[in-house]
Amino acid sequence: MVNQKWFKIALAGAVFIFANSVNAQFKFSKVNIADGVKTGVKSGDKVDLRLSPTGNVEQNFVVDLDIAAFRKAYKYDVVMIAYLRNDQVNFSYVHEFESVLNTKKYGGKGIIPIYAYDTKKFKETDYRTLAKNEITYEGPTPVSRKIAVYGSFITGEEGYFDANDMYQFRNKYSPGELLGYIELNTIYNKKQLDDYSAQQKKESYYQAERDLDRMQSSFKRNVVENVNQYLAPVVATPMYGALSEGMTEVWNSKVKAVEANKSPENAEKFIASVTELNKDLEIMYAVAKKDKNVLKTLNKEIKTKKTTEEKWEYIQANK
């Protein structure tokens, strides 16, 4: 069982061996899924990774690990081929050269192809895979993907509990030394981008519906009740209700206008109008928090405003 914490190493600024030369010990290649054409890639290169409309990879990437050549060039006990997402190991293949299994199977020689993605289309019989054959678009924030090769030494053993809660021992490794890598430039399919945009639009619409309900409650609690509390000698029987009524009239007219756009077909208009309504609510709340004497004056003056628009202009002027 692999203790991957020893290999969580950022690539930024790292110095690695033979970065600009072709390594006989391990070779990076790109493989087209459609025709199986394999093309060599230099360590340190950034290579395009194109995706299908369903998110399946159209190119795969392989590290051909030459056991004998690697052992001859390096003195490491362990080599790891890692798939890194944002410079953290997500998946890996670890080869301990002196393990009973590997010594018996490879006898110190042979080439192991380690593919980045499990496309189910491989010519070799003794291959390894790292990640699943599907990448989901998660938004505009860039995601870094790399395939890297690390070397390490066995420094001892450590105990751990396995999946069956049984206490076991495993080898402990020195921090991995970066030997080479390629970076994948993910090119998302247009359908993936469109599907993501549509989903975001749908979620924004539902959020706007929730925001509208929240603002309705907030208006009653933070505006109407606050004005009545300040203006009324007895809270239950407000004597100065003109301001409260005027603000309610304005609010109801604005909510009605917003609800006129409340449909998936008018999602963008609805979302924008809910945003504007929230700004209007903030103005009303600012007025409702005014000093009692100010509110009494407002209560008196708003009676002179005849239309809903005139009342709104008066409220805005006194925020």
Side-chain angles (χ1 to χ4, degrees), residues 227-240:
V227 169
N228 287 340
Q229 176 182 331
Y230 273 100
L231 295 182
V234 180
V235 175
T237 56
M239 295 177 63
Y240 304 98

PDB file of all heavy atoms in Angstrom, residues 227-240:
ATOM      1  N   VAL A 227     -40.619  50.746  11.118  1.00  0.00           N
ATOM      2  CA  VAL A 227     -41.277  52.049  10.988  1.00  0.00           C
ATOM      3  C   VAL A 227     -42.452  52.148  11.954  1.00  0.00           C
ATOM      4  O   VAL A 227     -42.621  53.144  12.660  1.00  0.00           O
ATOM      5  CB  VAL A 227     -41.754  52.275   9.541  1.00  0.00           C
ATOM      6  CG1 VAL A 227     -42.664  53.494   9.458  1.00  0.00           C
ATOM      7  CG2 VAL A 227     -40.556  52.446   8.618  1.00  0.00           C
ATOM      8  N   ASN A 228     -43.269  51.112  12.007  1.00  0.00           N
ATOM      9  CA  ASN A 228     -44.403  51.117  12.924  1.00  0.00           C
ATOM     10  C   ASN A 228     -43.950  51.232  14.379  1.00  0.00           C
ATOM     11  O   ASN A 228     -44.575  51.922  15.198  1.00  0.00           O
ATOM     12  CB  ASN A 228     -45.232  49.853  12.743  1.00  0.00           C
ATOM     13  CG  ASN A 228     -46.045  49.866  11.454  1.00  0.00           C
ATOM     14  OD1 ASN A 228     -46.277  50.933  10.880  1.00  0.00           O
ATOM     15  ND2 ASN A 228     -46.448  48.700  10.996  1.00  0.00           N
ATOM     16  N   GLN A 229     -42.864  50.563  14.708  1.00  0.00           N
ATOM     17  CA  GLN A 229     -42.362  50.592  16.080  1.00  0.00           C
ATOM     18  C   GLN A 229     -41.955  51.995  16.495  1.00  0.00           C
ATOM     19  O   GLN A 229     -42.200  52.439  17.602  1.00  0.00           O
ATOM     20  CB  GLN A 229     -41.162  49.654  16.202  1.00  0.00           C
ATOM     21  CG  GLN A 229     -40.493  49.674  17.571  1.00  0.00           C
ATOM     22  CD  GLN A 229     -39.284  48.760  17.636  1.00  0.00           C
ATOM     23  OE1 GLN A 229     -39.239  47.762  16.930  1.00  0.00           O
ATOM     24  NE2 GLN A 229     -38.322  49.118  18.435  1.00  0.00           N
ATOM     25  N   TYR A 230     -41.299  52.717  15.568  1.00  0.00           N
ATOM     26  CA  TYR A 230     -40.861  54.063  15.886  1.00  0.00           C
ATOM     27  C   TYR A 230     -42.013  55.067  15.889  1.00  0.00           C
ATOM     28  O   TYR A 230     -42.049  55.986  16.693  1.00  0.00           O
ATOM     29  CB  TYR A 230     -39.818  54.529  14.867  1.00  0.00           C
ATOM     30  CG  TYR A 230     -38.417  54.134  15.246  1.00  0.00           C
ATOM     31  CD1 TYR A 230     -37.812  53.030  14.667  1.00  0.00           C
ATOM     32  CD2 TYR A 230     -37.706  54.857  16.194  1.00  0.00           C
ATOM     33  CE1 TYR A 230     -36.525  52.649  15.019  1.00  0.00           C
ATOM     34  CE2 TYR A 230     -36.415  54.499  16.558  1.00  0.00           C
ATOM     35  CZ  TYR A 230     -35.824  53.392  15.964  1.00  0.00           C
ATOM     36  OH  TYR A 230     -34.555  53.030  16.324  1.00  0.00           O
ATOM     37  N   LEU A 231     -42.956  54.917  14.977  1.00  0.00           N
ATOM     38  CA  LEU A 231     -44.000  55.917  14.808  1.00  0.00           C
ATOM     39  C   LEU A 231     -45.186  55.739  15.742  1.00  0.00           C
ATOM     40  O   LEU A 231     -45.909  56.686  16.019  1.00  0.00           O
ATOM     41  CB  LEU A 231     -44.510  55.907  13.362  1.00  0.00           C
ATOM     42  CG  LEU A 231     -43.483  56.324  12.298  1.00  0.00           C
ATOM     43  CD1 LEU A 231     -44.130  56.304  10.932  1.00  0.00           C
ATOM     44  CD2 LEU A 231     -42.952  57.723  12.599  1.00  0.00           C
ATOM     45  N   ALA A 232     -45.406  54.550  16.240  1.00  0.00           N
ATOM     46  CA  ALA A 232     -46.627  54.286  16.989  1.00  0.00           C
ATOM     47  C   ALA A 232     -46.418  54.397  18.498  1.00  0.00           C
ATOM     48  O   ALA A 232     -45.468  53.839  19.024  1.00  0.00           O
ATOM     49  CB  ALA A 232     -47.147  52.896  16.657  1.00  0.00           C
ATOM     50  N   PRO A 233     -47.306  55.091  19.187  1.00  0.00           N
ATOM     51  CA  PRO A 233     -47.255  55.108  20.663  1.00  0.00           C
ATOM     52  C   PRO A 233     -47.410  53.696  21.208  1.00  0.00           C
ATOM     53  O   PRO A 233     -46.774  53.306  22.169  1.00  0.00           O
ATOM     54  CB  PRO A 233     -48.420  56.003  21.044  1.00  0.00           C
ATOM     55  CG  PRO A 233     -48.696  56.834  19.834  1.00  0.00           C
ATOM     56  CD  PRO A 233     -48.374  55.959  18.671  1.00  0.00           C
ATOM     57  N   VAL A 234     -48.277  52.907  20.585  1.00  0.00           N
ATOM     58  CA  VAL A 234     -48.447  51.505  20.922  1.00  0.00           C
ATOM     59  C   VAL A 234     -48.186  50.711  19.643  1.00  0.00           C
ATOM     60  O   VAL A 234     -48.798  50.977  18.612  1.00  0.00           O
ATOM     61  CB  VAL A 234     -49.877  51.213  21.452  1.00  0.00           C
ATOM     62  CG1 VAL A 234     -50.007  49.726  21.786  1.00  0.00           C
ATOM     63  CG2 VAL A 234     -50.182  52.083  22.659  1.00  0.00           C
ATOM     64  N   VAL A 235     -47.275  49.767  19.741  1.00  0.00           N
ATOM     65  CA  VAL A 235     -46.837  49.056  18.541  1.00  0.00           C
ATOM     66  C   VAL A 235     -48.002  48.419  17.796  1.00  0.00           C
ATOM     67  O   VAL A 235     -48.073  48.442  16.575  1.00  0.00           O
ATOM     68  CB  VAL A 235     -45.791  47.978  18.900  1.00  0.00           C
ATOM     69  CG1 VAL A 235     -45.418  47.163  17.670  1.00  0.00           C
ATOM     70  CG2 VAL A 235     -44.553  48.627  19.498  1.00  0.00           C
ATOM     71  N   ALA A 236     -48.946  47.884  18.546  1.00  0.00           N
ATOM     72  CA  ALA A 236     -50.048  47.152  17.918  1.00  0.00           C
ATOM     73  C   ALA A 236     -51.027  48.080  17.206  1.00  0.00           C
ATOM     74  O   ALA A 236     -51.782  47.638  16.349  1.00  0.00           O
ATOM     75  CB  ALA A 236     -50.779  46.324  18.966  1.00  0.00           C
ATOM     76  N   THR A 237     -51.028  49.363  17.552  1.00  0.00           N
ATOM     77  CA  THR A 237     -51.985  50.296  16.944  1.00  0.00           C
ATOM     78  C   THR A 237     -51.253  51.532  16.436  1.00  0.00           C
ATOM     79  O   THR A 237     -51.268  52.585  17.080  1.00  0.00           O
ATOM     80  CB  THR A 237     -53.060  50.713  17.966  1.00  0.00           C
ATOM     81  OG1 THR A 237     -52.386  51.265  19.130  1.00  0.00           O
ATOM     82  CG2 THR A 237     -53.905  49.543  18.400  1.00  0.00           C
ATOM     83  N   PRO A 238     -50.576  51.429  15.300  1.00  0.00           N
ATOM     84  CA  PRO A 238     -49.825  52.567  14.773  1.00  0.00           C
ATOM     85  C   PRO A 238     -50.732  53.742  14.429  1.00  0.00           C
ATOM     86  O   PRO A 238     -51.778  53.574  13.802  1.00  0.00           O
ATOM     87  CB  PRO A 238     -49.158  51.988  13.528  1.00  0.00           C
ATOM     88  CG  PRO A 238     -50.024  50.849  13.123  1.00  0.00           C
ATOM     89  CD  PRO A 238     -50.532  50.269  14.400  1.00  0.00           C
ATOM     90  N   MET A 239     -50.325  54.920  14.870  1.00  0.00           N
ATOM     91  CA  MET A 239     -51.105  56.127  14.579  1.00  0.00           C
ATOM     92  C   MET A 239     -50.536  56.866  13.378  1.00  0.00           C
ATOM     93  O   MET A 239     -51.215  57.707  12.795  1.00  0.00           O
ATOM     94  CB  MET A 239     -51.114  57.045  15.794  1.00  0.00           C
ATOM     95  CG  MET A 239     -51.830  56.454  17.004  1.00  0.00           C
ATOM     96  SD  MET A 239     -51.757  57.530  18.434  1.00  0.00           S
ATOM     97  CE  MET A 239     -52.670  58.954  17.833  1.00  0.00           C
ATOM     98  N   TYR A 240     -49.268  56.590  13.040  1.00  0.00           N
ATOM     99  CA  TYR A 240     -48.628  57.277  11.927  1.00  0.00           C
ATOM    100  C   TYR A 240     -48.260  56.236  10.867  1.00  0.00           C
ATOM    101  O   TYR A 240     -47.101  55.879  10.708  1.00  0.00           O
ATOM    102  CB  TYR A 240     -47.390  58.027  12.404  1.00  0.00           C
ATOM    103  CG  TYR A 240     -47.683  59.009  13.510  1.00  0.00           C
ATOM    104  CD1 TYR A 240     -47.455  58.670  14.835  1.00  0.00           C
ATOM    105  CD2 TYR A 240     -48.197  60.270  13.208  1.00  0.00           C
ATOM    106  CE1 TYR A 240     -47.730  59.567  15.851  1.00  0.00           C
ATOM    107  CE2 TYR A 240     -48.476  61.178  14.236  1.00  0.00           C
ATOM    108  CZ  TYR A 240     -48.243  60.825  15.547  1.00  0.00           C
ATOM    109  OH  TYR A 240     -48.528  61.720  16.556  1.00  0.00           O
TER     110      TYR A 240
END
